[in-house]
Every structure is written in C-alpha cells, then in structure tokens.
Amino acid sequence: MQKLLYRVEEAAGVLSLGRSKVYELISRGAIRAVKIDGATRIPADEIESFVARVKAESGLAPVA
C-alpha cells in the first residue's frame, strides 16, 4: 500500500526542503496538514498538489 500520510520530516525530505520551511508553509496555508492526536501529518495528495501549484506559478508546463 502506498503511504497516505507523511510526517513533517518525511515531507521535507520528499520536497527537498528543511523541516522549519515545511512548518512555515503549513502555517501560511501553502501546504495543508492534519492533526492526529497532536501529531502533524501531511497527506500524500497535498504534497503532489503543492508541487503542481509551485510549478504552475513558476511557469513550468505540467508533465503529462
């Protein structure tokens, strides 16, 4: 089964960003996260959506 939720540290690794930058993006609303008993998790599809938005904003064509 594919991973559905990522810890902040894991998402940071996937995005090649630092942990504090991912927390900053979450606080700004650029990446949506969920809380499960106080643990912050980022859905896999949210990581993909964030990358797609960043690519669109930078003018990169979507990959088919």
Side-chain angles (χ1 to χ4, degrees):
M1 177 184 277
Q2 181 180 347
K3 194 167 196 152
L4 300 176
L5 296 171
Y6 288 86
R7 294 184 331 234
V8 171
E9 294 81 3
E10 293 171 323
V14 169
L15 294 168
S16 298
L17 297 172
R19 186 178 68 85
S20 60
K21 176 55 80 173
V22 173
Y23 276 114
E24 177 186 325
L25 291 167
I26 292 169
S27 70
R28 286 195 334 217
I31 294 178
R32 290 174 291 191
V34 296
K35 289 271 192 169
I36 302 171
D37 289 334
T40 302
R41 297 293 182 260
I42 302 170
D45 60 343
E46 180 59 23
I47 294 171
E48 293 173 10
S49 296
F50 172 74
V51 171
R53 288 191 305 270
V54 169
K55 286 173 65 174
E57 290 170 4
S58 68
L60 292 176
V63 177

